[in-house]
Amino acid sequence: MLLGLDVRAQIKDIFDKEFKEPVSIKVFSQAIGCDSCQTTEELVKELAEVAGEDRIKYEVHSPVLEKELAEQYGVDRIPTIVIEGDKDYGIRYIGLPAGLEFSTLVQGIIQVSKREPNLSEKTLELIKDVDIPIEIMVFVTTSCGYCPAAAVMAYNFALASDYITAKVVDASENQDLAEKFQVVGVPKVVINNGVAEFVGAQPENAFLGYIIATYEKLKKEGVQ
């Protein structure tokens, strides 16, 4: 058992207070060649048990045996956790959400259950015009105290727009990606493969500024 009784009690209390609509979680995983996959499966399974079937529906999928499904969800790394509500909001966690990142998973689930982002009216108004795919990638580590805030902020932006997706990536489990994007400190946020990037848990308006700047740059370049 990964989650102790006290942690289970805390999670149940949070879910009882804040959970709204059912959430579906898909874990893309495999038994061979993935050190953290089994633990990720077990962690999500225990979380689903605490929540109850009426709140969290949980499935495990193999990207090797279910290639079409993996392609549909844009999964090319394992383990990948997909958090869905009535639809796929483009919310992903790549790696094992252990340590402080466990709260990112829990908060992500709660936010999806609410079906609406925790963002200001001004922010929602400003991103309504976004009509080009924007991918937010947040590099985190399990011991980073500021990482969950940056990760959940990205999830909120994905909830707010059908054109925005958010991938939270464990930097230590995905060192090739971390090297590619020169991740020295975390959280590091990379938007559309480096069109914009910044380090640190920035406030909502700053985060929004980077998204709008990326959108305007892509628009200017004629990207559809």
Side-chain angles (χ1 to χ4, degrees), residues 28-32 61-68 70 75 78:
F28 286 87
S29 172
Q30 64 188 43
I32 300 167
H61 298 279
S62 164
V64 177
L65 300 176
E66 300 170 84
K67 280 185 181 176
E68 282 188 19
V75 172
I78 50 167

Side-chain angles (χ1 to χ4, degrees), residues 39-53:
T39 309
T40 302
E41 287 181 34
E42 182 60 32
L43 185 66
V44 175
K45 180 187 172 189
E46 289 187 19
L47 195 55
E49 285 171 357
V50 173
E53 285 183 9

Side-chain angles (χ1 to χ4, degrees), residues 4-169:
L5 294 177
D6 55 338
V7 174
R8 286 172 177 250
Q10 286 172 21
I11 293 166
K12 189 175 186 313
D13 186 49
I14 291 167
F15 282 172
D16 286 347
K17 286 176 182 171
E18 299 193 46
F19 215 99
K20 299 293 183 192
E21 302 292 335
V23 170
S24 170
I25 301 179
K26 290 179 172 65
V27 180
F28 286 87
S29 172
Q30 64 188 43
I32 300 167
C34 176
D35 294 338
S36 63
C37 280
Q38 192 172 351
T39 309
T40 302
E41 287 181 34
E42 182 60 32
L43 185 66
V44 175
K45 180 187 172 189
E46 289 187 19
L47 195 55
E49 285 171 357
V50 173
E53 285 183 9
D54 57 327
R55 286 177 175 154
I56 295 179
K57 184 186 173 189
Y58 149 78
E59 303 168 355
V60 176
H61 298 279
S62 164
V64 177
L65 300 176
E66 300 170 84
K67 280 185 181 176
E68 282 188 19
L69 189 68
E71 284 173 11
Q72 180 189 326
Y73 283 95
V75 172
D76 55 6
R77 291 174 179 268
I78 50 167
T80 291
I81 300 169
V82 177
I83 309 171
E84 295 180 294
D86 299 322
K87 61 181 181 179
D88 178 13
Y89 296 101
I91 290 174
R92 310 282 185 267
Y93 191 100
I94 302 169
L96 168 62
L100 296 175
E101 280 306 303
F102 181 62
S103 72
T104 295
L105 177 63
V106 172
Q107 288 179 68
I109 290 168
I110 288 169
Q111 210 57 52
V112 169
S113 84
K114 292 178 179 178
R115 303 290 194 266
E116 57 185 33
N118 183 20
L119 297 170
S120 70
E121 288 298 323
K122 183 186 174 188
T123 295
L124 295 174
E125 189 63 33
L126 285 168
I127 61 169
K128 270 200 320 192
D129 293 334
V130 172
D131 56 2
I132 294 172
I134 302 287
E135 182 191 76
I136 305 169
M137 197 181 294
V138 185
F139 286 93
V140 301
T141 62
T142 56
S143 59
C144 162
Y146 294 103
C147 287
V152 174
M153 182 72 73
Y155 284 167
N156 275 302
F157 276 104
L159 270 168
S161 170
D162 290 340
Y163 288 93
I164 299 174
T165 57
K167 289 181 179 176
V168 178
V169 181

Side-chain angles (χ1 to χ4, degrees), residues 145-197:
Y146 294 103
C147 287
V152 174
M153 182 72 73
Y155 284 167
N156 275 302
F157 276 104
L159 270 168
S161 170
D162 290 340
Y163 288 93
I164 299 174
T165 57
K167 289 181 179 176
V168 178
V169 181
D170 185 299
S172 55
E173 281 194 62
N174 297 274
Q175 290 182 359
D176 59 325
L177 271 184
E179 285 172 17
K180 179 182 177 182
F181 293 108
Q182 300 177 330
V183 178
V184 179
V186 289
K188 178 163 185 178
V189 178
V190 178
I191 304 175
N192 282 48
N193 287 318
V195 173
E197 52 184 65

